[in-house]
Amino acid sequence: MSSDTSDGESTPPIPSRKGSSTSSTDKKKEKARVSRTSMILWHAHQNDIGAVRKLLEEDGSLVHARDYDNRTPLHVASLHGWIDVAKCLLENGADVNAQDRWKNTPLADAEGAKKHNMIELLKSYGGLSYGQSGSHLEPKPVLPPLPNKCDWEIDPSELDFSSSNIIGKGSFGEILKASWRGTPVAVKRILPSLSDDKLVIQDFRHEVKVLVKLRHPNVVQFLGAVTDKKPLMLITEYLRGGDLHQHLKEKGSLSASTAINFALDIARGMAYLHNEPNVIIHRDLKPRQVNFYFGFAVQVVLNVLLVNTSAEHLKVGDFGLSKLIKVQHCHDVYKMTGETGSYRYMAPEVFKHRKYDKKVDVFSFAMILYEMLEGDPPFSNYEPYEAAKYAAAGHRPPFRSKSYLPELRDLTEKCWAADMNQRPSFLDILKRLEKI
């Protein structure tokens, strides 16, 4: 069972006027602002003090950047205990008592995560556990919502389907564009006939459990769910750009620069998901609209989605087949369901029902990078199952595109290596793409 959309910052499109140079300039400024906002949140998460300082030197207002949950770079640094990043943000005017969606301040996050040095630092700058409004003061810190909390429960009467249209449909449900409190959203709705099916309900709750933990500019943004009433529904942001598969179908192969930018977006989202100790293995990373779920073909909104119609950014979504793993050791290997995911992008070890780890997502990423540069899916002359079988036998699709720079070709070959231990991590992939 799968859905698609993403987490991060999204902004309403700027109205364009045909022939207006001002509109074009505004769009470029808006694109740059959204990109910088995503970057400062990412670098704060990665404890990259140099990158954070450089961004603030270029644009001081980024110290007040917010994601969908109203979380600032200081919230991110405080939760992880990154002292130097927090000091830099505070010295540049960060609001020490900024409140996120759950009314938590950076100090509340630091207290909840037991980051004692961070707690002292924030208090020295006047940090409060809940912010400056007395109505939010509590006797003890409140951690971000857990899956069994209901502050993300949405009243179905707030969803407006009057002008909705079906984005995807399958054996277990459908995904519709709807409106929630005036905002366009994507709603994954379980079919009424399956609302009492224990397996369907279990998978639905699993996807909610995964999504509620995620906050990243390149990951689908979870907004809420309907779990108390039927039909069960999962609500995420609506990305008006559609999916990468459709974009490639209409535009053909991408230039090297565009493919690299898209690959960076995917890799950033995946690096976040693979962050230890709570690793989320996607297991179905692909750019297409057909998602195989236990033998049933299900039409969904794709795993890799365009933020808007100008095709500037990608986000990773669709966590119906994902696996949340608590990692004890960095080289842990897990025994999980064989042949889980989509055949054309499936790693050989999954097809062969062998033990595998998060590097299965790296193999799928290589296939997506190949498709972006070549304009055709890998092994397009094979049916999906036969393509997976052919890849499992050691074959790889041929390089034909002139956009395939030697560095990109080398990276692709490393990512689809037969030995999963030889594949790079997404953090390594990011470093290589940024150099290119």
Side-chain angles (χ1 to χ4, degrees), residues 28 57 76 105 112 145-146 152 178 184 189 200-201 258 274 291 354 383:
K28 289 179 180 178
E57 288 173 356
V76 176
T105 59
L146 297 172
W152 40 257
R189 186 167 64 185
V200 172
I201 294 173
T258 300
H274 282 191
N291 200 15
R354 294 177 179 172
E383 291 299 317

Side-chain angles (χ1 to χ4, degrees), residues 180-333:
W180 176 53
R181 299 182 182 179
T183 299
V185 292
V187 178
K188 180 177 185 176
R189 186 167 64 185
I190 303 301
L191 294 175
S193 60
L194 296 172
S195 58
D196 293 318
D197 187 304
K198 290 183 179 180
L199 180 60
V200 172
I201 294 173
Q202 176 184 320
D203 289 336
F204 172 83
R205 294 191 183 281
H206 163 76
E207 191 165 1
V208 172
K209 183 178 180 180
V210 171
L211 280 170
V212 77
K213 297 174 182 287
L214 306 181
R215 299 187 195 94
H216 188 273
N218 294 111
V219 177
V220 57
Q221 176 60 49
F222 170 80
L223 299 176
V226 177
T227 63
D228 290 339
K229 299 179 181 178
K230 296 176 183 178
L232 300 175
M233 290 182 277
L234 189 155
I235 296 88
T236 60
E237 65 172 320
Y238 170 71
L239 299 183
R240 57 177 54 84
D243 61 64
L244 179 58
H245 166 64
Q246 188 61 34
H247 182 74
L248 293 174
K249 189 175 179 181
E250 293 173 359
K251 305 291 184 181
S253 61
L254 305 178
S255 66
S257 60
T258 300
I260 291 169
N261 282 327
F262 281 5
L264 278 166
D265 283 337
I266 299 170
R268 287 181 183 124
M270 293 307 302
Y272 167 76
L273 294 174
H274 282 191
N275 188 49
E276 297 173 2
N278 295 309
V279 174
I280 294 175
I281 303 177
H282 195 291
R283 303 203 297 174
D284 196 23
L285 190 63
K286 66 179 189 295
R288 303 185 65 81
Q289 285 185 311
V290 178
N291 200 15
F292 286 89
Y293 175 75
F294 298 141
F296 296 93
V298 184
Q299 291 286 359
V300 299
V301 185
L302 205 33
N303 304 53
V304 181
L305 299 149
L306 299 173
V307 174
N308 53 45
T309 50
S310 59
E312 294 163 351
H313 292 285
L314 292 181
K315 297 190 178 190
V316 177
D318 192 353
F319 298 94
L321 295 179
S322 62
K323 192 77 173 178
L324 178 61
I325 302 291
K326 184 75 172 180
V327 176
Q328 303 298 329
H329 305 286
C330 62
H331 298 296
D332 281 354
V333 177

